[in-house]
Amino acid sequence: MSNILLDTLKEGLDPNLAALLNSDEKLKNETQHYLEELLVNAELLSTEMFTTSTGPSTDTNTKNLVEEIAELDHQSRQIELQLASIANEHRDLIIGVSEDVRHVHKTIAEDLPKEIKAMKMGFAGKSFLDTKVAKKVSRAIAANNSILSNMDSILDIYELPTLCGLCIMQGNYQEALEISTSVKMLTVKFPNSLTFKKLQDQIDNELKVMVRGLIKLLNTNLKQSNILKIFQILNRPNLVPNEESLNGDDQNISGNKTLKLIYLNSRFKFIMNEVASLKPLLKLKKLTYLKRLIEIYREHLYNSLSIYHAIFLSSGLHVDADDDKVLLHMYIKKLVYYMIEELRSHLPAVGEGDRDADEIEKAGMRDGVILQVIYLCRSLSKYGLDFESFITWELCMKEPVLIQKADWTRNLMKWKKFKS
């Protein structure tokens, strides 16, 4: 059987290979033995794929040769597509490297033989080459040999911007910063190298994308540890310029006003997004909306102040206390103004939709909201921010009066009783 198969396959072979099979008895025997193993292979003789039955197969792990070939062909196609995509993304780099390699090849293939030929002709005519020309040729040869011997390292350096961007995409920010530091060291070591300056510009662009992504990430609900890590990264030199760093002073996070503004702005956006998500509750029950609104303020305001102190005020170095108080005052005042507007809009209507509630129950609902506002004021006072007088002025004294002084005083006594 194997002889017949071999004779059939031999007709499609190269004439030289066919002649070799006819002349070499050992090779012919080995080929026949291999064909016999293929013929007796149960998996290769499987006819599962040719059956017309639509029933489920009992053996889902076995694959015949055609299936293996199809899978390998599909994997090969996917790899080709990935290679084409990578080549398309880095076509500028590939073209640049190709031009450099072509230039080196041209120098070695054309210029170097001419110089060597000139040297031979000079020695044959018993004339001596100019010393400067000889040194120039020697330096050119040494430079070309150095480039060729270190081609892998040179290509690795050209890939640093791409590697930096990949680290940023995967969240490996420290590794991206280390790459930037390495390229900066090369730029300082070789100040006249345009290649390193261009690489540094590309990496700086990648780091700008990283900074924008981290700032957007701060607008989400992050844990304190994650926020601290982000600001440790943003405090690296030249990532987020500050007035002190531009003037040549040492940059310290406690005195970096830009980072403080970034933090407070991101926390403001986060709290406003959380408040906006409560709007559907107005259609159900306004009391629930107001309680959840004040609870969000109390939780996230206290948390944002705690993280602010942990990031900017824990070191105690170059701390501008007045500047911090102004920033925090503006931050909280803007949020409190919005809360007061919501209270003025919806607190008078608390209990109106509940027909079963009497006046005592409605007063109890209002007292619950007032008590939550008092808890909010007291939580802010832990960080030296007294907003109770501001809130009482807006709610109890400014016309139109939203909360009576007696109601505020009564609930304040309740709070003191609970605390004691």
Side-chain angles (χ1 to χ4, degrees):
M1 186 68 179
S2 61
N3 292 334
I4 298 173
L5 182 57
L6 179 59
D7 292 338
T8 304
L9 296 175
K10 192 163 56 177
E11 295 176 357
L13 290 176
D14 183 83
N16 294 330
L17 294 176
L20 183 61
L21 279 174
N22 292 330
S23 60
D24 193 341
E25 191 65 28
K26 183 179 179 181
L27 177 61
K28 184 176 181 181
N29 293 334
E30 290 180 356
T31 305
Q32 288 178 353
H33 180 69
Y34 177 74
L35 291 175
E36 287 177 358
E37 290 181 351
L38 289 179
L39 291 174
V40 299
N41 193 322
E43 293 183 357
L44 294 176
L45 292 177
S46 174
T47 58
E48 272 188 37
M49 63 172 293
F50 301 105
T51 59
T52 58
S53 174
T54 58
S57 176
T58 57
D59 187 3
T60 58
N61 295 324
T62 60
K63 297 180 180 178
N64 55 37
L65 182 60
V66 176
E67 291 174 339
E68 293 285 350
I69 293 174
E71 289 185 2
L72 292 175
D73 182 66
H74 177 69
Q75 294 176 2
S76 175
R77 178 61 178 168
Q78 294 296 323
I79 293 173
E80 290 177 358
L81 292 176
Q82 292 177 4
L83 291 175
S85 176
I86 294 173
N88 184 52
E89 291 177 0
H90 305 93
R91 57 183 179 276
D92 294 337
L93 179 60
I94 295 173
I95 293 173
V97 174
S98 300
E99 289 295 332
D100 294 339
V101 173
R102 190 178 296 108
H103 175 71
V104 172
H105 178 74
K106 180 181 178 182
T107 302
I108 296 175
E110 298 179 6
D111 298 342
L112 188 59
K114 291 179 182 179
E115 298 290 346
I116 294 174
K117 185 177 180 181
M119 292 173 65
K120 290 181 177 180
M121 291 175 63
F123 284 122
K126 296 182 180 181
S127 60
F128 296 97
L129 290 173
D130 188 3
T131 305
K132 293 183 178 179
V133 175
K135 289 182 178 180
K136 183 178 179 181
V137 172
S138 300
R139 285 196 298 267
I141 294 173
N144 291 331
N145 291 335
S146 176
I147 291 174
L148 291 175
S149 61
N150 297 288
M151 184 58 70
D152 292 338
S153 300
I154 293 172
L155 293 177
D156 290 340
I157 292 175
Y158 273 103
E159 291 176 356
L160 287 178
T162 304
L163 182 61
C164 180
L166 184 61
C167 290
I168 293 171
M169 290 176 58
Q170 295 178 347
N172 300 320
Y173 304 117
Q174 294 294 342
E175 287 77 1
L177 293 174
E178 290 176 3
I179 293 173
S180 175
T181 303
S182 300
V183 176
K184 285 181 181 178
M185 292 174 62
L186 292 174
T187 306
V188 173
K189 187 176 181 180
F190 304 99
N192 298 325
S193 174
L194 295 177
T195 300
F196 290 134
K197 291 181 180 179
K198 192 171 182 180
L199 290 175
Q200 182 61 50
D201 292 338
Q202 293 176 357
I203 289 178
D204 288 342
N205 292 332
E206 295 290 346
L207 293 181
K208 289 178 182 178
V209 174
M210 180 188 76
V211 170
R212 288 196 294 268
L214 290 176
I215 293 175
K216 288 182 179 179
L217 192 62
L218 288 172
N219 297 334
T220 59
N221 189 13
L222 296 175
K223 295 181 179 179
Q224 179 174 343
S225 58
N226 294 331
I227 296 177
L228 291 174
K229 289 179 182 178
I230 290 176
F231 276 93
Q232 287 176 356
I233 295 172
L234 295 179
N235 193 45
R236 294 290 291 269
N238 301 323
L239 277 184
V240 182
N242 192 34
E243 293 180 359
E244 289 77 4
S245 63
L246 294 176
N247 294 333
D249 299 334
D250 293 336
Q251 186 179 18
N252 185 277
I253 193 168
S254 61
N256 194 326
K257 187 176 180 180
T258 304
L259 289 181
K260 293 177 181 179
L261 291 174
I262 288 174
Y263 172 78
L264 294 177
N265 181 63
S266 62
R267 291 293 89 189
F268 177 84
K269 290 181 178 179
F270 167 68
I271 293 175
M272 294 307 296
N273 290 335
E274 290 291 306
V275 171
S277 66
L278 299 177
K279 288 295 183 181
L281 291 176
L282 287 173
K283 299 179 180 179
L284 300 176
K285 201 168 185 180
K286 293 183 179 180
L287 177 63
T288 304
Y289 168 75
L290 291 177
K291 285 188 174 182
R292 286 290 299 123
L293 171 71
I294 300 171
E295 186 64 29
I296 285 177
Y297 267 69
R298 181 185 172 192
E299 175 186 354
H300 294 300
L301 271 177
Y302 184 85
N303 189 40
S304 61
L305 291 176
S306 172
I307 298 175
Y308 185 92
H309 280 70
I311 296 174
F312 302 107
L313 305 181
S314 60
S315 62
L317 300 174
H318 306 290
V319 177
D320 190 348
D322 294 334
D323 186 52
D324 288 321
K325 287 182 179 180
V326 170
L327 289 175
L328 293 175
H329 182 84
M330 293 173 59
Y331 165 67
I332 296 176
K333 190 174 181 180
K334 186 67 175 177
L335 287 169
V336 170
Y337 264 129
Y338 181 81
M339 183 189 72
I340 291 174
E341 290 177 2
E342 293 296 296
L343 288 173
R344 288 189 177 278
S345 300
H346 305 296
L347 185 59
V350 169
E352 291 182 358
D354 192 351
R355 299 178 181 178
D356 298 332
D358 54 16
E359 292 300 325
I360 298 177
E361 291 178 347
K362 292 179 180 179
M365 295 177 184
R366 289 172 57 86
D367 286 349
V369 175
I370 296 170
L371 195 58
Q372 277 192 293
V373 175
I374 293 174
Y375 272 105
L376 171 62
C377 296
R378 296 295 172 167
S379 65
L380 296 179
S381 65
K382 293 180 181 179
Y383 289 99
L385 300 170
D386 184 12
F387 273 83
E388 185 172 354
S389 57
F390 169 73
I391 292 177
T392 53
W393 167 261
E394 290 289 335
L395 298 179
C396 303
M397 303 182 69
K398 186 177 180 180
E399 295 292 338
V401 176
L402 182 63
I403 299 174
Q404 298 298 324
K405 296 180 182 179
D407 295 338
W408 183 272
T409 304
R410 184 177 65 255
N411 285 281
L412 184 59
M413 296 301 296
K414 288 182 181 179
W415 176 84
K416 292 180 179 179
K417 183 178 179 181
F418 293 154
K419 294 297 289 184
S420 61

